[in-house]
Amino acid sequence: MSRSVVPILLAVLLLAGIGREALADDQVSCPRPPVGSVAAPPPDLWSHHGVLNVAFNYYTTVDNSGRTLFCFVTPDGLESPTLHVNPGDQLNVTVTNRNPPAPPGSPTEVVSNSGNQCGDMTMTITSLNVHYHGTNTSPACHGDQVVHTIINSGETFQYSLKFPADEPPGLYWYHPHVHGIAEAAVQGGASGAIIVEGIENIQPAVANLPERVLIIRDMTRPSGPPPSVSPPVPSWDASLNYVPIVYQPNPAPNYVPAVIRMGAGAQEFWRVANASADTIIDLQLQYNGVPQPLQLVGLDGVPTGSQDGTRQGTLVTTSDILLAPAARAEFIVAGPQPGAANLVTLFVDTGPGGDSDPTRPLANILTNAEDNTLSLLPAPSRPPNPQRFEGLANAQPSATRHLYFSEVLSDPTNPNSPTNFFITVDGDKPVLFDPNNPPAIVTMQGAVDDWIIENRTAENHEFHQHQIHFLLEEVNGDPVPPQQQLFLDMIQVPYYTGKGPYPNVKVRMDFRGPDIGDFVYHCHILAHEDGGMMAIIRVLPPS
Ligand SMILES: [Cu+2]
């Protein structure tokens, strides 16, 4: 869908009160806990004998504050369950779109042709598809295919994903990814975690620890003053495991955080996803105001230090973790002694054109009662599985590509006109994303590419590559120490101040795996992705 249609689309979505009539044939809505309640872990579903079969209904409704919610619910009422699979497993998801039909006259776009049709051909404002973020799975139809897959109101679609045997164990997630309406769907809450099991075999430090899944989401802020860095007013409200953390202007700022119960001094293994559409998180744990050491075990689903061929990870101690929208961090924490204990996100400087992401609390940690709802990670049970990105650091790149983020007003004479967002290969003409665009980059299976990605705008952008992870090599030309070996599927490229070289990162892309076909890379601030900041890459089989 072209950029010009998006504002119309959102206006129609709101005017139509999408969701109000959605429950006519179902009593299921998208239940959410009250402000200030315990951040209960999501329900869990486990694979058996190598297969996990899941059925999802996709619903929408409107909450008491006027927010449009979206959710995935199983037939027996589990909302956004965590999907547990092993490397090599098959994940089958049968999803039915129970959104109402799009209102007559609302915008539509044909997103495929007879050669690449996947589900319905025509996108509407109530369409659905599902992205399995971070998974190194096939981008073919019925796999992790988001360019042409369309599931419209009343339609059922079958996903069948084969996880590779060398999938790194860790935290991944699923969410809708229809271009033009992705931000609304993700801020509506339609997302959940995927855990690839076996991390204790690569990071034995987590063996036998209680496992806590925490999902941070953002959502629209129904009322109050406009976003501002000073005084700090957030662009979006937040939630933790669906417990709302809302900005209340009086007295300002008065947030009521969620609650986490922990045994005093007990170690836990936390698996945190920033499932926000737009909000950048800088996570910190504070006991009596003092930042606590977080022992990083994995980032974006890849155990830290695990891809050098030894198949044994390393722990990285840090006092805060920057989580781009869609990024994940897995780390070990020690519970507090009695006293004030808080999980917070710190202020993120997103640039003069960016959102307001102020310091705010996410959870108060109470030690007066242990949480007995957590399951324990097993002891190491088998040799580590082979790792998908082994040897990438020493591979010979076959190409170096230069890309950049840019933004322009759709009407340069009108400062209030919508912004067009682009990600462009340097030298090419910037084009807004369209599912019918040709690939911006064509490469070959087996290739290893170095990409240098610049930010030429006054706000941060958050690069995401589908289907594969990349090795972070350089930040602003400075090499990342080889011992850090960060394999990520998300990387923030900070804003340009107007002076000096453009901020940039150099990353190494790994196309040596089995996945061929068309997939996308984009900014994971979904307002930007919906606004055009996405492009197609084609991986050809070797000739
Ligand atoms: Cu962006």
Side-chain angles (χ1 to χ4, degrees):
M1 175 155 296
S2 68
R3 179 66 184 89
S4 57
V5 177
V6 173
I8 304 168
L9 181 160
L10 292 174
V12 172
L13 198 69
L14 292 170
L15 285 171
I18 286 302
R20 286 200 169 86
E21 73 270 51
L23 303 177
D25 60 342
D26 289 286
Q27 293 308 305
V28 181
S29 61
C30 301
R32 302 294 155 83
V35 168
S37 53
V38 169
D44 295 292
L45 295 174
W46 301 79
S47 70
H48 293 284
H49 305 295
V51 181
L52 176 55
N53 294 313
V54 184
F56 277 152
N57 289 307
Y58 184 61
Y59 293 105
T60 186
T61 187
V62 176
D63 74 7
N64 291 335
S65 302
R67 294 187 183 97
T68 299
L69 307 183
F70 295 92
C71 56
F72 293 108
V73 182
T74 66
D76 48 358
L78 302 180
E79 184 177 7
S80 302
T82 299
L83 309 179
H84 297 261
V85 296
N86 290 299
D89 277 1
Q90 181 82 22
L91 172 63
N92 300 319
V93 179
T94 308
V95 59
T96 301
N97 185 349
R98 298 200 182 274
N99 275 356
S106 59
T108 62
E109 185 185 23
V110 176
V111 302
S112 57
N113 56 49
S114 57
N116 57 28
Q117 180 179 0
C118 187
D120 211 311
M121 293 178 81
T122 303
M123 179 265 192
T124 80
I125 63 165
T126 64
S127 294
L128 170 68
N129 63 25
V130 184
H131 174 41
Y132 301 85
H133 184 117
T135 66
N136 295 272
T137 57
S138 168
C141 186
H142 300 286
D144 183 30
Q145 210 291 0
V146 299
V147 182
H148 303 295
T149 307
I150 292 292
I151 311 161
N152 281 331
S153 172
E155 295 175 351
T156 296
F157 188 84
Q158 181 68 48
Y159 284 101
S160 302
L161 279 86
K162 175 76 172 169
F163 282 75
D166 59 3
E167 188 76 302
L171 182 60
Y172 301 76
W173 67 297
Y174 56 89
H175 65 87
H177 204 297
V178 176
H179 176 63
I181 54 175
E183 181 194 38
V186 171
Q187 290 200 323
S191 58
I194 300 170
I195 292 179
V196 175
E197 294 295 323
I199 195 168
E200 66 281 356
N201 299 314
I202 289 183
Q203 296 279 30
V206 302
N208 304 313
L209 291 183
E211 170 188 46
R212 185 183 293 279
V213 174
L214 294 169
I215 302 183
I216 302 164
R217 297 176 176 89
D218 62 2
M219 53 188 186
T220 53
R221 192 161 56 79
S223 59
S228 159
V229 171
S230 180
V233 180
S235 293
W236 311 103
D237 278 336
S239 71
L240 185 69
N241 289 0
Y242 286 131
V243 178
I245 302 152
V246 299
Y247 174 81
Q248 299 169 3
N250 296 306
N254 181 11
Y255 298 94
V256 178
V259 170
I260 292 173
R261 294 191 191 282
M262 264 181 103
Q267 269 198 331
E268 290 187 0
F269 176 44
W270 286 16
R271 318 187 92 163
V272 182
N274 181 10
S276 300
D278 299 331
T279 303
I280 305 162
I281 295 291
D282 189 358
L283 206 62
Q284 188 167 76
L285 188 60
Q286 298 175 348
Y287 295 164
N288 293 314
V290 178
Q292 296 299 298
L294 308 174
Q295 285 188 285
L296 259 182
V297 169
L299 285 173
D300 290 353
V302 181
T304 41
S306 64
Q307 305 295 306
D308 61 358
T310 64
R311 300 176 187 171
Q312 285 299 298
T314 53
L315 303 182
V316 181
T317 301
T318 181
S319 62
D320 65 295
I321 304 170
L322 187 84
L323 285 175
R328 292 85 67 209
E330 299 169 79
F331 51 91
I332 298 169
V333 303
Q337 299 305 318
N342 312 87
L343 180 67
V344 305
T345 177
L346 304 173
F347 166 71
V348 176
D349 180 4
T350 66
D355 279 352
S356 171
D357 292 336
T359 296
R360 52 183 146 167
L362 296 174
N364 284 344
I365 297 165
L366 303 182
T367 56
N368 56 356
E370 274 197 40
D371 187 340
N372 53 13
T373 65
L374 303 183
S375 55
L376 302 185
L377 244 70
S381 57
R382 55 178 187 252
N385 62 320
Q387 292 295 294
R388 168 71 178 77
F389 305 105
E390 284 176 2
L392 184 61
N394 299 320
Q396 189 63 37
S398 47
T400 299
R401 303 180 196 275
H402 296 259
L403 294 86
Y404 67 95
F405 291 111
S406 64
E407 302 177 10
V408 294
L409 290 172
S410 51
D411 176 0
T413 64
N414 176 5
N416 295 319
S417 64
T419 302
N420 286 334
F421 294 88
F422 302 98
I423 183 165
T424 310
V425 176
D426 202 5
D428 291 354
K429 182 177 180 293
V431 288
L432 295 170
F433 180 80
D434 185 296
N436 302 300
N437 282 348
I441 293 175
V442 178
T443 189
M444 300 282 284
Q445 186 185 22
V448 168
D449 284 6
D450 282 344
W451 289 18
I452 296 166
I453 306 161
E454 277 179 358
N455 187 346
R456 302 183 181 176
T457 79
E459 64 175 316
N460 294 356
H461 296 291
E462 319 291 323
F463 180 84
H464 173 45
Q465 177 66 272
H466 281 226
Q467 260 58 50
I468 59 167
H469 287 63
F470 46 79
L471 170 65
L472 180 62
E473 298 182 281
E474 295 178 8
V475 176
N476 294 327
D478 295 329
V480 175
Q483 63 271 25
Q484 289 193 9
Q485 290 267 320
L486 297 179
F487 289 80
L488 308 169
D489 59 50
M490 290 301 317
I491 185 71
Q492 172 165 284
V493 191
Y495 66 92
Y496 179 50
T497 61
K499 292 195 186 118
Y502 295 116
N504 64 84
V505 297
K506 183 179 181 185
V507 298
R508 179 161 291 178
M509 298 288 178
D510 186 355
F511 303 107
R512 299 172 302 169
D515 297 325
I516 57 172
D518 288 5
F519 50 95
V520 289
Y521 53 89
H522 61 92
C523 178
H524 218 295
I525 292 177
L526 291 179
H528 301 172
E529 186 268 288
D530 283 338
M533 207 170 239
M534 180 157 73
I536 297 171
I537 179 169
R538 175 169 296 164
V539 180
L540 298 169
S543 53

